[in-house]
């Protein structure tokens, strides 16, 4: 996930300045790259490297296949259909968190969703809301479910991506750090967020 990848860039220096030793490891899963989510990899790493904390980013844009599909379909789903799809997605996340929690007591960090990335029209046309009403409903439903998961999981903290993006503005957060003229064919998409 981009948020976690960028955290990996800035966290080591902050930890070094604070005198906190850091050995950060990441496991990526991506529907785009055909890599599925696996508790086995995480459990093996936690056991082998004696982790102090685990951060989970389940709803990166290309992570679990159900999430980008939900973003894409949100406009045409009824409330009942949207609710059912959120329940299915959260069941997968709850199962993963529950399985890992059975094997370790370390703190978990789980981040919610902001609604980013913006669609290309909503990113550039200020007379449109940054996200559609349907996507807002989806984001709200997911964030309520994630907050419930965090509240009901021992030693778990919420990383509130939604609050940060709202505070700084979704359009400003989604502005590219690297000019399009440089990044047009690149595989990265670092944004102000």
């Amino acid at each position: 996930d981009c948020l976690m990848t960028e955290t990996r860039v800035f966290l080591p220096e902050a930890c070094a300045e604070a005198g906190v030793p850091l050995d950060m490891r990441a496991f990526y899963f991506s529907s785009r790259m055909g890599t599925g989510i696996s508790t086995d990899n995480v459990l093996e790493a936690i056991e082998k490297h004696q982790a102090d904390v685990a951060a989970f980013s389940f709803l990166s844009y290309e992570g679990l296949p159900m999430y980008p599909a939900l973003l894409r379909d949100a406009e045409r789903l009824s409330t009942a259909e949207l609710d059912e799809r959120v329940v299915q997605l959260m069941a997968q996340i709850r199962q993963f968190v529950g399985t890992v929690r059975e094997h370790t007591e370390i703190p978990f960090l789980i981040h919610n969703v902001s609604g980013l990335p913006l669609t290309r029209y909503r990113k550039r046309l200020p007379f449109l809301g940054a996200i559609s009403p349907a996507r807002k409903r989806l984001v709200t439903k997911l964030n309520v479910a994630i907050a419930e998961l965090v509240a009901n999981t021992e030693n778990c903290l919420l990383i509130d991506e939604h609050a940060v993006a709202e505070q700084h503005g979704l359009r400003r957060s989604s502005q590219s750090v690297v000019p399009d003229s440089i990044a047009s064919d690149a595989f990265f998409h670092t944004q102000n967020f």
Side-chain angles (χ1 to χ4, degrees):
D1 178 75
C2 303
L3 178 62
M4 293 301 181
T5 298
E6 291 170 7
T7 300
R8 291 182 70 194
V9 173
F10 300 105
L11 191 59
E13 183 178 340
C15 286
E17 289 174 5
V20 176
L22 176 68
D23 177 7
M24 191 167 181
R25 298 168 194 273
F27 299 94
Y28 294 96
F29 56 93
S30 170
S31 61
R32 182 177 186 181
M33 298 167 74
T35 308
I37 189 170
S38 168
T39 54
D40 294 340
N41 292 342
V42 173
L43 293 172
E44 181 181 325
I46 288 171
E47 184 178 312
K48 184 177 179 182
H49 300 289
Q50 299 175 348
D52 295 316
V53 67
F56 300 112
S57 178
F58 296 106
L59 300 178
S60 64
Y61 182 66
E62 299 277 349
L64 299 175
M66 291 174 71
Y67 182 58
L70 254 174
L71 288 174
R72 185 179 55 249
D73 298 344
E75 305 296 327
R76 61 182 176 80
L77 294 173
S78 70
T79 301
E81 291 169 323
L82 184 66
D83 289 346
E84 179 58 31
R85 301 257 304 261
V86 167
V87 165
Q88 291 171 0
L89 178 58
M90 288 305 301
Q92 188 176 10
I93 293 170
R94 276 190 186 87
Q95 180 180 7
F96 184 94
V97 170
T99 300
V100 176
R101 176 50 77 216
E102 288 172 3
H103 292 85
T104 182
E105 295 178 2
I106 64 173
F108 290 172
L109 306 177
I110 298 177
H111 82 75
N112 62 10
V113 296
S114 60
L116 296 173
L118 301 180
T119 62
R120 79 180 158 160
Y121 295 116
R122 290 187 181 274
K123 187 175 183 178
R124 292 182 173 80
L125 301 175
F127 59 86
L128 292 174
I131 60 175
S132 70
R135 188 176 276 200
K136 280 183 186 179
R137 280 192 302 278
L138 171 61
V139 166
T140 299
K141 287 177 186 296
L142 284 170
N143 286 343
V144 166
I146 291 167
E148 288 173 1
L149 171 65
V150 169
N152 292 305
T153 302
E154 187 177 326
N155 204 13
C156 189
L157 298 169
L158 176 69
I159 304 300
D160 199 344
E161 175 182 320
H162 183 260
V164 173
E166 287 285 317
Q167 178 184 358
H168 296 283
L170 292 170
R171 282 196 180 91
R172 184 170 176 265
S173 296
S174 67
Q175 290 174 346
S176 182
V177 172
V178 179
D180 288 341
S181 59
I182 295 172
S184 62
D185 293 328
F187 188 67
F188 57 87
H189 54 274
T190 305
Q191 299 176 340
N192 281 336
F193 182 81

